[in-house]
Amino acid sequence: MPAPATTVVLFGATGDLARRKLLPGLLHLFASDLCDDLRVVGTSLEDFDTESFREFARTAIAEFSSHPVTDQQWDDFDDRLTFVRSDAGPDALRKAVEEAESHFPQGSQRLHYLSVPPKAALSVLAELHQAGLVERSRVIMEKPFGTDLASAKKLNAAVHEYFDESQIFRIDHFLGKEAALNILAFRFANGLFEPIWHRNNIDHVQIDVPETLGLETRAEFYESTGAYRDMVVTHLFQVLAFTAMEPPTSLEPDAITEEKNKVFRSMMPLNPEDVVRGQYLGYRDMKGVGPESETETFIALKCYIDNWRWAGVPFYLRTGKKMAEGARIISIAFKEPPKSMFPSGSGVGQHGPDHLTFDLADKARMSLSFYGKRPGPGFRLDKLSMQFAMGDTDWAGGALEAYERLIYDAIRGDHTLFTTADGIERLWEVSQPLLDNPPPVRPYDPGTYGPNQIHQLIAPRGWRLPFERKWREPTV
């Protein structure tokens, strides 16, 4: 459904995120008629004016848009872009916003997107307050949302000085992906799976997000965060909540948010003995990194959700830089039958448990593996799989990219895919034992899957990545 008339105030409008994702995404939302009443006020410290900002936007969209853009679409969008330097002060910002809003005779709402470093976020919020731009507005904030419990509480208190919690949208682009939403559809729309989504049937869960990229341009920033703060609290724990939550009373945002927060409240504090920290060889040689840096570029951990559904089921999370491949998977491992009737040598159990796997990467795929009989005499079993890929459907082209979906949801006031102050603070609370007593950092070679200690963490089980059998690619 089309969104209401909206003026987007884009802070950090000439930064890398705006260039790669936000400006192309806003054009697509406009051109697809999802947000056809849209104005964009860009602001940054760059020495731009409206004309040069429009040229910047056009170049960015031509380079990074994943959707074809016609000249007519650009011409219509171009007229809706204006720019004001962020050092021009609150009065200049308000004037630019009021000028954009004058094109909406029936009035409009405001969406302030803070594509700025965390340290600059509070000064931006204060400026919005001084400019009188808090009314009828919403704010999208980028991670990180603090670095521990004390800083998260301080940040939330400062934000709440100017904005009500209902106005704040803390963004996690992982949850904007179609495959993440498919977890909800798969679980709650199918009577086949929800009854077995339970400790009686599930042995363990893996959420695995290795990355091939290093930290060549971000090492100095990364020194103050590390893999746990950068990825686990803001991304992997959010995916865990979608995987583990109870059925909401409805698909309304408040109902889903409440079930996610119940998962966080049920999480047991992390045990540092259940955590492996790693650092790829060569990281300490990078600019801004000390020769004895203990910052982790890799982390793997085991955590538990202490509620009726999940008691005793381990959740294994892993992510790191400069690893062997880039992937984003959730793997549900089902328990094996308590007794086998099959003869010795049949192959049952030799390929591990049955798995349901969600691929959260851009191709959005799911796979269900199971044992089946191999054709021929005798009773020889082998692993088979059923796979579904978004690209196999005739509606794949209608999928929104993660940032597009999240901006669209924020414009409509839908908090389903965003986290709350209470949720963030609870995650930092369960993280505190690890932050207070982190295990040593283990070295690992670039192009691997992390330190050797990860196998002890998950034993007697095994990591799903690397897959023994690759995803089937669609035939042309």
Side-chain angles (χ1 to χ4, degrees), residues 297-331:
T297 63
F298 168 96
I299 191 158
L301 60 89
K302 176 171 61 176
C303 62
Y304 292 93
I305 300 169
D306 192 22
N307 63 16
W308 191 273
R309 182 184 294 263
W310 295 109
V313 177
F315 285 72
Y316 297 98
L317 280 58
R318 177 173 65 168
T319 186
K321 306 293 184 183
K322 285 230 172 179
M323 298 184 71
E325 65 176 305
R328 298 169 183 171
I329 72 156
I330 304 170
S331 188

PDB file of all heavy atoms in Angstrom, residues 297-331:
ATOM      1  N   THR A 297      38.342 -10.243  15.586  1.00  0.00           N
ATOM      2  CA  THR A 297      37.745 -10.118  14.249  1.00  0.00           C
ATOM      3  C   THR A 297      36.859 -11.324  13.942  1.00  0.00           C
ATOM      4  O   THR A 297      36.275 -11.407  12.867  1.00  0.00           O
ATOM      5  CB  THR A 297      38.835 -10.005  13.178  1.00  0.00           C
ATOM      6  OG1 THR A 297      39.615 -11.217  13.160  1.00  0.00           O
ATOM      7  CG2 THR A 297      39.753  -8.822  13.444  1.00  0.00           C
ATOM      8  N   PHE A 298      36.779 -12.233  14.899  1.00  0.00           N
ATOM      9  CA  PHE A 298      35.988 -13.459  14.769  1.00  0.00           C
ATOM     10  C   PHE A 298      35.411 -13.797  16.131  1.00  0.00           C
ATOM     11  O   PHE A 298      36.050 -13.591  17.168  1.00  0.00           O
ATOM     12  CB  PHE A 298      36.880 -14.618  14.296  1.00  0.00           C
ATOM     13  CG  PHE A 298      36.243 -15.984  14.411  1.00  0.00           C
ATOM     14  CD1 PHE A 298      35.617 -16.562  13.318  1.00  0.00           C
ATOM     15  CD2 PHE A 298      36.268 -16.685  15.621  1.00  0.00           C
ATOM     16  CE1 PHE A 298      35.024 -17.817  13.431  1.00  0.00           C
ATOM     17  CE2 PHE A 298      35.683 -17.935  15.739  1.00  0.00           C
ATOM     18  CZ  PHE A 298      35.058 -18.497  14.634  1.00  0.00           C
ATOM     19  N   ILE A 299      34.192 -14.326  16.131  1.00  0.00           N
ATOM     20  CA  ILE A 299      33.637 -14.829  17.385  1.00  0.00           C
ATOM     21  C   ILE A 299      32.682 -15.973  17.095  1.00  0.00           C
ATOM     22  O   ILE A 299      31.944 -15.965  16.107  1.00  0.00           O
ATOM     23  CB  ILE A 299      32.941 -13.708  18.181  1.00  0.00           C
ATOM     24  CG1 ILE A 299      32.609 -14.188  19.600  1.00  0.00           C
ATOM     25  CG2 ILE A 299      31.675 -13.212  17.463  1.00  0.00           C
ATOM     26  CD1 ILE A 299      32.427 -13.070  20.593  1.00  0.00           C
ATOM     27  N   ALA A 300      32.741 -16.982  17.950  1.00  0.00           N
ATOM     28  CA  ALA A 300      31.782 -18.087  17.932  1.00  0.00           C
ATOM     29  C   ALA A 300      31.351 -18.315  19.371  1.00  0.00           C
ATOM     30  O   ALA A 300      32.170 -18.216  20.294  1.00  0.00           O
ATOM     31  CB  ALA A 300      32.407 -19.352  17.347  1.00  0.00           C
ATOM     32  N   LEU A 301      30.068 -18.588  19.561  1.00  0.00           N
ATOM     33  CA  LEU A 301      29.594 -18.744  20.934  1.00  0.00           C
ATOM     34  C   LEU A 301      28.424 -19.719  20.986  1.00  0.00           C
ATOM     35  O   LEU A 301      27.767 -20.006  19.980  1.00  0.00           O
ATOM     36  CB  LEU A 301      29.192 -17.401  21.527  1.00  0.00           C
ATOM     37  CG  LEU A 301      28.081 -16.603  20.844  1.00  0.00           C
ATOM     38  CD1 LEU A 301      26.700 -16.965  21.397  1.00  0.00           C
ATOM     39  CD2 LEU A 301      28.322 -15.111  21.005  1.00  0.00           C
ATOM     40  N   LYS A 302      28.195 -20.216  22.187  1.00  0.00           N
ATOM     41  CA  LYS A 302      27.053 -21.071  22.480  1.00  0.00           C
ATOM     42  C   LYS A 302      26.188 -20.353  23.500  1.00  0.00           C
ATOM     43  O   LYS A 302      26.694 -19.862  24.517  1.00  0.00           O
ATOM     44  CB  LYS A 302      27.527 -22.419  23.021  1.00  0.00           C
ATOM     45  CG  LYS A 302      26.415 -23.359  23.456  1.00  0.00           C
ATOM     46  CD  LYS A 302      26.957 -24.756  23.762  1.00  0.00           C
ATOM     47  CE  LYS A 302      27.962 -24.769  24.876  1.00  0.00           C
ATOM     48  NZ  LYS A 302      28.413 -26.134  25.240  1.00  0.00           N
ATOM     49  N   CYS A 303      24.902 -20.256  23.228  1.00  0.00           N
ATOM     50  CA  CYS A 303      24.008 -19.605  24.179  1.00  0.00           C
ATOM     51  C   CYS A 303      22.725 -20.421  24.307  1.00  0.00           C
ATOM     52  O   CYS A 303      22.435 -21.291  23.482  1.00  0.00           O
ATOM     53  CB  CYS A 303      23.704 -18.164  23.766  1.00  0.00           C
ATOM     54  SG  CYS A 303      22.856 -17.978  22.185  1.00  0.00           S
ATOM     55  N   TYR A 304      21.971 -20.130  25.362  1.00  0.00           N
ATOM     56  CA  TYR A 304      20.757 -20.887  25.665  1.00  0.00           C
ATOM     57  C   TYR A 304      19.595 -19.935  25.935  1.00  0.00           C
ATOM     58  O   TYR A 304      19.781 -18.836  26.464  1.00  0.00           O
ATOM     59  CB  TYR A 304      20.963 -21.779  26.894  1.00  0.00           C
ATOM     60  CG  TYR A 304      21.925 -22.907  26.672  1.00  0.00           C
ATOM     61  CD1 TYR A 304      23.276 -22.756  26.979  1.00  0.00           C
ATOM     62  CD2 TYR A 304      21.492 -24.135  26.161  1.00  0.00           C
ATOM     63  CE1 TYR A 304      24.173 -23.799  26.783  1.00  0.00           C
ATOM     64  CE2 TYR A 304      22.381 -25.183  25.970  1.00  0.00           C
ATOM     65  CZ  TYR A 304      23.720 -25.013  26.279  1.00  0.00           C
ATOM     66  OH  TYR A 304      24.599 -26.039  26.078  1.00  0.00           O
ATOM     67  N   ILE A 305      18.407 -20.397  25.571  1.00  0.00           N
ATOM     68  CA  ILE A 305      17.169 -19.690  25.880  1.00  0.00           C
ATOM     69  C   ILE A 305      16.425 -20.518  26.920  1.00  0.00           C
ATOM     70  O   ILE A 305      16.002 -21.647  26.642  1.00  0.00           O
ATOM     71  CB  ILE A 305      16.313 -19.494  24.616  1.00  0.00           C
ATOM     72  CG1 ILE A 305      17.095 -18.677  23.585  1.00  0.00           C
ATOM     73  CG2 ILE A 305      14.992 -18.819  24.949  1.00  0.00           C
ATOM     74  CD1 ILE A 305      16.448 -18.647  22.227  1.00  0.00           C
ATOM     75  N   ASP A 306      16.297 -19.967  28.107  1.00  0.00           N
ATOM     76  CA  ASP A 306      15.778 -20.737  29.234  1.00  0.00           C
ATOM     77  C   ASP A 306      14.266 -20.571  29.348  1.00  0.00           C
ATOM     78  O   ASP A 306      13.758 -19.919  30.261  1.00  0.00           O
ATOM     79  CB  ASP A 306      16.472 -20.280  30.520  1.00  0.00           C
ATOM     80  CG  ASP A 306      16.203 -21.217  31.688  1.00  0.00           C
ATOM     81  OD1 ASP A 306      15.861 -22.386  31.427  1.00  0.00           O
ATOM     82  OD2 ASP A 306      16.324 -20.775  32.846  1.00  0.00           O
ATOM     83  N   ASN A 307      13.553 -21.153  28.397  1.00  0.00           N
ATOM     84  CA  ASN A 307      12.094 -21.160  28.482  1.00  0.00           C
ATOM     85  C   ASN A 307      11.576 -22.564  28.155  1.00  0.00           C
ATOM     86  O   ASN A 307      12.346 -23.489  27.889  1.00  0.00           O
ATOM     87  CB  ASN A 307      11.471 -20.086  27.582  1.00  0.00           C
ATOM     88  CG  ASN A 307      11.754 -20.300  26.102  1.00  0.00           C
ATOM     89  OD1 ASN A 307      12.169 -21.383  25.668  1.00  0.00           O
ATOM     90  ND2 ASN A 307      11.544 -19.268  25.311  1.00  0.00           N
ATOM     91  N   TRP A 308      10.261 -22.722  28.176  1.00  0.00           N
ATOM     92  CA  TRP A 308       9.659 -24.046  28.026  1.00  0.00           C
ATOM     93  C   TRP A 308      10.003 -24.675  26.673  1.00  0.00           C
ATOM     94  O   TRP A 308      10.267 -25.870  26.576  1.00  0.00           O
ATOM     95  CB  TRP A 308       8.139 -23.918  28.184  1.00  0.00           C
ATOM     96  CG  TRP A 308       7.426 -25.229  28.320  1.00  0.00           C
ATOM     97  CD1 TRP A 308       6.967 -26.033  27.321  1.00  0.00           C
ATOM     98  CD2 TRP A 308       7.094 -25.897  29.538  1.00  0.00           C
ATOM     99  NE1 TRP A 308       6.366 -27.161  27.823  1.00  0.00           N
ATOM    100  CE2 TRP A 308       6.428 -27.105  29.202  1.00  0.00           C
ATOM    101  CE3 TRP A 308       7.277 -25.598  30.896  1.00  0.00           C
ATOM    102  CZ2 TRP A 308       5.958 -27.989  30.147  1.00  0.00           C
ATOM    103  CZ3 TRP A 308       6.813 -26.485  31.839  1.00  0.00           C
ATOM    104  CH2 TRP A 308       6.160 -27.671  31.461  1.00  0.00           C
ATOM    105  N   ARG A 309       9.995 -23.868  25.626  1.00  0.00           N
ATOM    106  CA  ARG A 309      10.207 -24.405  24.275  1.00  0.00           C
ATOM    107  C   ARG A 309      11.660 -24.810  24.036  1.00  0.00           C
ATOM    108  O   ARG A 309      11.930 -25.815  23.368  1.00  0.00           O
ATOM    109  CB  ARG A 309       9.770 -23.375  23.234  1.00  0.00           C
ATOM    110  CG  ARG A 309       9.913 -23.870  21.785  1.00  0.00           C
ATOM    111  CD  ARG A 309       9.552 -22.778  20.783  1.00  0.00           C
ATOM    112  NE  ARG A 309       8.140 -22.426  20.863  1.00  0.00           N
ATOM    113  CZ  ARG A 309       7.186 -22.904  20.065  1.00  0.00           C
ATOM    114  NH1 ARG A 309       7.502 -23.781  19.128  1.00  0.00           N
ATOM    115  NH2 ARG A 309       5.941 -22.520  20.195  1.00  0.00           N
ATOM    116  N   TRP A 310      12.615 -24.034  24.557  1.00  0.00           N
ATOM    117  CA  TRP A 310      13.999 -24.189  24.135  1.00  0.00           C
ATOM    118  C   TRP A 310      14.946 -24.669  25.229  1.00  0.00           C
ATOM    119  O   TRP A 310      16.154 -24.746  24.999  1.00  0.00           O
ATOM    120  CB  TRP A 310      14.520 -22.862  23.573  1.00  0.00           C
ATOM    121  CG  TRP A 310      13.831 -22.443  22.326  1.00  0.00           C
ATOM    122  CD1 TRP A 310      12.956 -21.408  22.192  1.00  0.00           C
ATOM    123  CD2 TRP A 310      13.930 -23.046  21.034  1.00  0.00           C
ATOM    124  NE1 TRP A 310      12.506 -21.313  20.894  1.00  0.00           N
ATOM    125  CE2 TRP A 310      13.088 -22.316  20.161  1.00  0.00           C
ATOM    126  CE3 TRP A 310      14.638 -24.135  20.522  1.00  0.00           C
ATOM    127  CZ2 TRP A 310      12.942 -22.642  18.816  1.00  0.00           C
ATOM    128  CZ3 TRP A 310      14.500 -24.457  19.177  1.00  0.00           C
ATOM    129  CH2 TRP A 310      13.661 -23.706  18.341  1.00  0.00           C
ATOM    130  N   ALA A 311      14.453 -24.997  26.395  1.00  0.00           N
ATOM    131  CA  ALA A 311      15.334 -25.390  27.497  1.00  0.00           C
ATOM    132  C   ALA A 311      16.277 -26.516  27.077  1.00  0.00           C
ATOM    133  O   ALA A 311      15.841 -27.563  26.597  1.00  0.00           O
ATOM    134  CB  ALA A 311      14.501 -25.825  28.700  1.00  0.00           C
ATOM    135  N   GLY A 312      17.574 -26.284  27.248  1.00  0.00           N
ATOM    136  CA  GLY A 312      18.575 -27.301  26.943  1.00  0.00           C
ATOM    137  C   GLY A 312      19.042 -27.356  25.507  1.00  0.00           C
ATOM    138  O   GLY A 312      19.969 -28.107  25.192  1.00  0.00           O
ATOM    139  N   VAL A 313      18.425 -26.573  24.602  1.00  0.00           N
ATOM    140  CA  VAL A 313      18.821 -26.578  23.186  1.00  0.00           C
ATOM    141  C   VAL A 313      19.891 -25.508  22.969  1.00  0.00           C
ATOM    142  O   VAL A 313      19.634 -24.326  23.179  1.00  0.00           O
ATOM    143  CB  VAL A 313      17.621 -26.298  22.266  1.00  0.00           C
ATOM    144  CG1 VAL A 313      18.069 -26.235  20.809  1.00  0.00           C
ATOM    145  CG2 VAL A 313      16.546 -27.358  22.456  1.00  0.00           C
ATOM    146  N   PRO A 314      21.098 -25.892  22.554  1.00  0.00           N
ATOM    147  CA  PRO A 314      22.135 -24.879  22.327  1.00  0.00           C
ATOM    148  C   PRO A 314      21.939 -24.154  20.997  1.00  0.00           C
ATOM    149  O   PRO A 314      21.556 -24.755  19.991  1.00  0.00           O
ATOM    150  CB  PRO A 314      23.430 -25.699  22.319  1.00  0.00           C
ATOM    151  CG  PRO A 314      23.012 -27.070  21.892  1.00  0.00           C
ATOM    152  CD  PRO A 314      21.604 -27.269  22.382  1.00  0.00           C
ATOM    153  N   PHE A 315      22.192 -22.857  21.030  1.00  0.00           N
ATOM    154  CA  PHE A 315      22.239 -22.033  19.827  1.00  0.00           C
ATOM    155  C   PHE A 315      23.696 -21.658  19.602  1.00  0.00           C
ATOM    156  O   PHE A 315      24.339 -21.060  20.481  1.00  0.00           O
ATOM    157  CB  PHE A 315      21.394 -20.768  19.994  1.00  0.00           C
ATOM    158  CG  PHE A 315      19.909 -21.002  19.915  1.00  0.00           C
ATOM    159  CD1 PHE A 315      19.239 -21.630  20.945  1.00  0.00           C
ATOM    160  CD2 PHE A 315      19.178 -20.578  18.799  1.00  0.00           C
ATOM    161  CE1 PHE A 315      17.866 -21.855  20.887  1.00  0.00           C
ATOM    162  CE2 PHE A 315      17.810 -20.797  18.719  1.00  0.00           C
ATOM    163  CZ  PHE A 315      17.155 -21.436  19.763  1.00  0.00           C
ATOM    164  N   TYR A 316      24.224 -22.021  18.437  1.00  0.00           N
ATOM    165  CA  TYR A 316      25.616 -21.722  18.095  1.00  0.00           C
ATOM    166  C   TYR A 316      25.650 -20.570  17.095  1.00  0.00           C
ATOM    167  O   TYR A 316      25.040 -20.642  16.029  1.00  0.00           O
ATOM    168  CB  TYR A 316      26.299 -22.952  17.495  1.00  0.00           C
ATOM    169  CG  TYR A 316      26.392 -24.119  18.441  1.00  0.00           C
ATOM    170  CD1 TYR A 316      25.467 -25.165  18.384  1.00  0.00           C
ATOM    171  CD2 TYR A 316      27.396 -24.181  19.403  1.00  0.00           C
ATOM    172  CE1 TYR A 316      25.542 -26.238  19.256  1.00  0.00           C
ATOM    173  CE2 TYR A 316      27.479 -25.259  20.286  1.00  0.00           C
ATOM    174  CZ  TYR A 316      26.549 -26.278  20.194  1.00  0.00           C
ATOM    175  OH  TYR A 316      26.622 -27.343  21.060  1.00  0.00           O
ATOM    176  N   LEU A 317      26.379 -19.523  17.447  1.00  0.00           N
ATOM    177  CA  LEU A 317      26.489 -18.350  16.587  1.00  0.00           C
ATOM    178  C   LEU A 317      27.947 -18.166  16.199  1.00  0.00           C
ATOM    179  O   LEU A 317      28.856 -18.344  17.042  1.00  0.00           O
ATOM    180  CB  LEU A 317      25.993 -17.087  17.312  1.00  0.00           C
ATOM    181  CG  LEU A 317      24.483 -16.844  17.394  1.00  0.00           C
ATOM    182  CD1 LEU A 317      23.746 -17.993  18.077  1.00  0.00           C
ATOM    183  CD2 LEU A 317      24.193 -15.538  18.133  1.00  0.00           C
ATOM    184  N   ARG A 318      28.177 -17.810  14.930  1.00  0.00           N
ATOM    185  CA  ARG A 318      29.551 -17.616  14.458  1.00  0.00           C
ATOM    186  C   ARG A 318      29.575 -16.518  13.408  1.00  0.00           C
ATOM    187  O   ARG A 318      28.721 -16.473  12.516  1.00  0.00           O
ATOM    188  CB  ARG A 318      30.106 -18.922  13.876  1.00  0.00           C
ATOM    189  CG  ARG A 318      31.516 -18.786  13.294  1.00  0.00           C
ATOM    190  CD  ARG A 318      32.119 -20.117  12.884  1.00  0.00           C
ATOM    191  NE  ARG A 318      31.407 -20.761  11.785  1.00  0.00           N
ATOM    192  CZ  ARG A 318      31.874 -21.823  11.105  1.00  0.00           C
ATOM    193  NH1 ARG A 318      33.042 -22.363  11.430  1.00  0.00           N
ATOM    194  NH2 ARG A 318      31.173 -22.362  10.136  1.00  0.00           N
ATOM    195  N   THR A 319      30.577 -15.650  13.501  1.00  0.00           N
ATOM    196  CA  THR A 319      30.791 -14.645  12.464  1.00  0.00           C
ATOM    197  C   THR A 319      32.244 -14.185  12.534  1.00  0.00           C
ATOM    198  O   THR A 319      32.878 -14.267  13.596  1.00  0.00           O
ATOM    199  CB  THR A 319      29.841 -13.442  12.634  1.00  0.00           C
ATOM    200  OG1 THR A 319      29.990 -12.548  11.524  1.00  0.00           O
ATOM    201  CG2 THR A 319      30.119 -12.683  13.923  1.00  0.00           C
ATOM    202  N   GLY A 320      32.765 -13.727  11.425  1.00  0.00           N
ATOM    203  CA  GLY A 320      34.151 -13.262  11.416  1.00  0.00           C
ATOM    204  C   GLY A 320      34.520 -12.653  10.082  1.00  0.00           C
ATOM    205  O   GLY A 320      33.817 -12.803   9.074  1.00  0.00           O
ATOM    206  N   LYS A 321      35.646 -11.968  10.076  1.00  0.00           N
ATOM    207  CA  LYS A 321      36.184 -11.334   8.879  1.00  0.00           C
ATOM    208  C   LYS A 321      37.260 -12.212   8.249  1.00  0.00           C
ATOM    209  O   LYS A 321      37.887 -13.025   8.909  1.00  0.00           O
ATOM    210  CB  LYS A 321      36.787  -9.966   9.233  1.00  0.00           C
ATOM    211  CG  LYS A 321      35.850  -9.031   9.973  1.00  0.00           C
ATOM    212  CD  LYS A 321      34.691  -8.596   9.112  1.00  0.00           C
ATOM    213  CE  LYS A 321      33.821  -7.579   9.854  1.00  0.00           C
ATOM    214  NZ  LYS A 321      32.636  -7.191   9.067  1.00  0.00           N
ATOM    215  N   LYS A 322      37.477 -11.999   6.948  1.00  0.00           N
ATOM    216  CA  LYS A 322      38.515 -12.711   6.183  1.00  0.00           C
ATOM    217  C   LYS A 322      38.384 -14.226   6.338  1.00  0.00           C
ATOM    218  O   LYS A 322      39.365 -14.941   6.565  1.00  0.00           O
ATOM    219  CB  LYS A 322      39.906 -12.245   6.608  1.00  0.00           C
ATOM    220  CG  LYS A 322      40.274 -10.870   6.084  1.00  0.00           C
ATOM    221  CD  LYS A 322      41.630 -10.878   5.416  1.00  0.00           C
ATOM    222  CE  LYS A 322      41.891  -9.541   4.726  1.00  0.00           C
ATOM    223  NZ  LYS A 322      43.196  -9.488   4.076  1.00  0.00           N
ATOM    224  N   MET A 323      37.185 -14.705   6.185  1.00  0.00           N
ATOM    225  CA  MET A 323      36.961 -16.145   6.300  1.00  0.00           C
ATOM    226  C   MET A 323      36.861 -16.782   4.918  1.00  0.00           C
ATOM    227  O   MET A 323      36.959 -16.097   3.897  1.00  0.00           O
ATOM    228  CB  MET A 323      35.717 -16.391   7.147  1.00  0.00           C
ATOM    229  CG  MET A 323      35.877 -15.857   8.578  1.00  0.00           C
ATOM    230  SD  MET A 323      34.491 -16.225   9.659  1.00  0.00           S
ATOM    231  CE  MET A 323      34.709 -18.002   9.866  1.00  0.00           C
ATOM    232  N   ALA A 324      36.646 -18.069   4.890  1.00  0.00           N
ATOM    233  CA  ALA A 324      36.765 -18.830   3.639  1.00  0.00           C
ATOM    234  C   ALA A 324      35.686 -18.475   2.623  1.00  0.00           C
ATOM    235  O   ALA A 324      35.903 -18.589   1.420  1.00  0.00           O
ATOM    236  CB  ALA A 324      36.736 -20.327   3.937  1.00  0.00           C
ATOM    237  N   GLU A 325      34.494 -18.095   3.099  1.00  0.00           N
ATOM    238  CA  GLU A 325      33.422 -17.733   2.183  1.00  0.00           C
ATOM    239  C   GLU A 325      32.500 -16.753   2.884  1.00  0.00           C
ATOM    240  O   GLU A 325      32.532 -16.606   4.106  1.00  0.00           O
ATOM    241  CB  GLU A 325      32.629 -18.970   1.746  1.00  0.00           C
ATOM    242  CG  GLU A 325      31.868 -19.664   2.876  1.00  0.00           C
ATOM    243  CD  GLU A 325      31.020 -20.830   2.402  1.00  0.00           C
ATOM    244  OE1 GLU A 325      30.188 -20.618   1.497  1.00  0.00           O
ATOM    245  OE2 GLU A 325      31.205 -21.943   2.931  1.00  0.00           O
ATOM    246  N   GLY A 326      31.693 -16.077   2.108  1.00  0.00           N
ATOM    247  CA  GLY A 326      30.669 -15.208   2.661  1.00  0.00           C
ATOM    248  C   GLY A 326      29.336 -15.931   2.631  1.00  0.00           C
ATOM    249  O   GLY A 326      28.913 -16.445   1.592  1.00  0.00           O
ATOM    250  N   ALA A 327      28.668 -16.006   3.760  1.00  0.00           N
ATOM    251  CA  ALA A 327      27.388 -16.712   3.836  1.00  0.00           C
ATOM    252  C   ALA A 327      26.581 -16.154   4.998  1.00  0.00           C
ATOM    253  O   ALA A 327      27.122 -15.516   5.909  1.00  0.00           O
ATOM    254  CB  ALA A 327      27.604 -18.216   4.008  1.00  0.00           C
ATOM    255  N   ARG A 328      25.278 -16.413   4.946  1.00  0.00           N
ATOM    256  CA  ARG A 328      24.378 -16.013   6.034  1.00  0.00           C
ATOM    257  C   ARG A 328      23.330 -17.111   6.159  1.00  0.00           C
ATOM    258  O   ARG A 328      22.345 -17.112   5.435  1.00  0.00           O
ATOM    259  CB  ARG A 328      23.708 -14.673   5.727  1.00  0.00           C
ATOM    260  CG  ARG A 328      24.681 -13.508   5.590  1.00  0.00           C
ATOM    261  CD  ARG A 328      24.001 -12.282   5.029  1.00  0.00           C
ATOM    262  NE  ARG A 328      24.947 -11.198   4.834  1.00  0.00           N
ATOM    263  CZ  ARG A 328      24.659 -10.064   4.200  1.00  0.00           C
ATOM    264  NH1 ARG A 328      23.445  -9.894   3.703  1.00  0.00           N
ATOM    265  NH2 ARG A 328      25.566  -9.132   4.070  1.00  0.00           N
ATOM    266  N   ILE A 329      23.553 -18.036   7.046  1.00  0.00           N
ATOM    267  CA  ILE A 329      22.634 -19.169   7.127  1.00  0.00           C
ATOM    268  C   ILE A 329      22.103 -19.358   8.550  1.00  0.00           C
ATOM    269  O   ILE A 329      22.766 -19.032   9.532  1.00  0.00           O
ATOM    270  CB  ILE A 329      23.274 -20.483   6.637  1.00  0.00           C
ATOM    271  CG1 ILE A 329      24.315 -20.993   7.639  1.00  0.00           C
ATOM    272  CG2 ILE A 329      23.881 -20.339   5.263  1.00  0.00           C
ATOM    273  CD1 ILE A 329      24.552 -22.477   7.544  1.00  0.00           C
ATOM    274  N   ILE A 330      20.893 -19.865   8.610  1.00  0.00           N
ATOM    275  CA  ILE A 330      20.322 -20.406   9.841  1.00  0.00           C
ATOM    276  C   ILE A 330      20.078 -21.880   9.573  1.00  0.00           C
ATOM    277  O   ILE A 330      19.429 -22.233   8.594  1.00  0.00           O
ATOM    278  CB  ILE A 330      18.995 -19.730  10.199  1.00  0.00           C
ATOM    279  CG1 ILE A 330      19.164 -18.224  10.310  1.00  0.00           C
ATOM    280  CG2 ILE A 330      18.445 -20.297  11.505  1.00  0.00           C
ATOM    281  CD1 ILE A 330      17.836 -17.503  10.428  1.00  0.00           C
ATOM    282  N   SER A 331      20.585 -22.735  10.434  1.00  0.00           N
ATOM    283  CA  SER A 331      20.449 -24.170  10.233  1.00  0.00           C
ATOM    284  C   SER A 331      19.811 -24.801  11.467  1.00  0.00           C
ATOM    285  O   SER A 331      20.345 -24.690  12.574  1.00  0.00           O
ATOM    286  CB  SER A 331      21.811 -24.810   9.961  1.00  0.00           C
ATOM    287  OG  SER A 331      21.671 -26.161   9.598  1.00  0.00           O
TER     288      SER A 331
END
